[in-house]
Amino acid sequence: YGNGSGFFAGRVGIGTTAYPAEMLHVVGNSYITGNVGIGTQNTFGYKLAVNGDIGARKVIAEVTSAWPDYVFEGEYKLQTIKELEKYISVNKHLPEIPTAKEIQENGQDLGEMNTKLLQKVEELTLYIIEQQKQIDIQQQNIASQQKAIEEIRNSLK
C-alpha cells in the first residue's frame, strides 16, 4: 500500500484483512484523543467539526437543564398576553430565546434550544386553554342574550 515516503497513496484498512472499499476503513471501535475535522482542518476547538451536511437517523442531545414540565405547575408565572406583546414589541424576539445576532455570533446549543422551544409550546398551550375558557363563557353569554332577546320579541307580539 505504501509509496515508500511514509504516506499511503491508496486506501487504508484498519482491523480488516480485505482491501478497503473506502479511503479509510476502520472495523471495530475507534478512540481518538484529539479533535476530528471532516471536510475541514480547523475544528475551532470542537471535538468534531464538519464542513458540510450531516445525515443521521437519530441524534440524542443530552439536556442538562430542567425539562419544561414546570410550565404546568401551579406556581409557574405565565406572562399575560399584554406583557408578552410589550416584550416582543421592545425586544423583537420571544423572552428567553436568543436573538438572531446572538445565534450568528455564538451558534446554538440544540439541546438547550429544543428545551426552550418546548417551554414556548407549553406556554402557548396554556394560552390556548385560557382562550378556550373565555370563548366558552362568551358562547354562554351569547346564548343567554339570544334567549333574552327572543323572550322580549315574543312579549312584544
Side-chain angles (χ1 to χ4, degrees), residues 84-131:
L84 182 59
E85 180 183 28
K86 183 178 178 183
Y87 182 93
I88 292 170
S89 175
V90 170
N91 297 287
K92 309 297 185 222
H93 66 93
L94 289 172
E96 301 181 67
I97 299 294
T99 64
K101 183 180 179 184
E102 291 171 324
I103 299 295
Q104 289 168 347
E105 290 175 358
N106 305 318
Q108 180 57 56
D109 178 321
L110 295 179
E112 179 184 315
M113 181 56 83
N114 199 33
T115 301
K116 289 294 179 191
L117 290 175
L118 180 60
Q119 176 186 344
K120 297 306 169 192
V121 167
E122 291 183 358
E123 289 173 351
L124 285 170
T125 301
L126 292 176
Y127 288 127
I128 291 169
I129 290 169
E130 185 58 37
Q131 285 182 340

Side-chain angles (χ1 to χ4, degrees), residues 59-78:
V59 175
I60 297 175
E62 294 186 13
V63 180
T64 57
S65 58
W67 201 241
D69 286 347
Y70 56 81
V71 169
F72 296 128
E73 299 296 328
E75 60 272 2
Y76 184 75
K77 174 73 170 97
L78 184 66

Side-chain angles (χ1 to χ4, degrees), residues 35-52:
N35 300 338
V36 176
I38 300 174
T40 181
Q41 292 181 352
N42 187 350
T43 64
F44 302 98
Y46 295 110
K47 287 294 179 188
L48 175 63
V50 179
N51 183 10

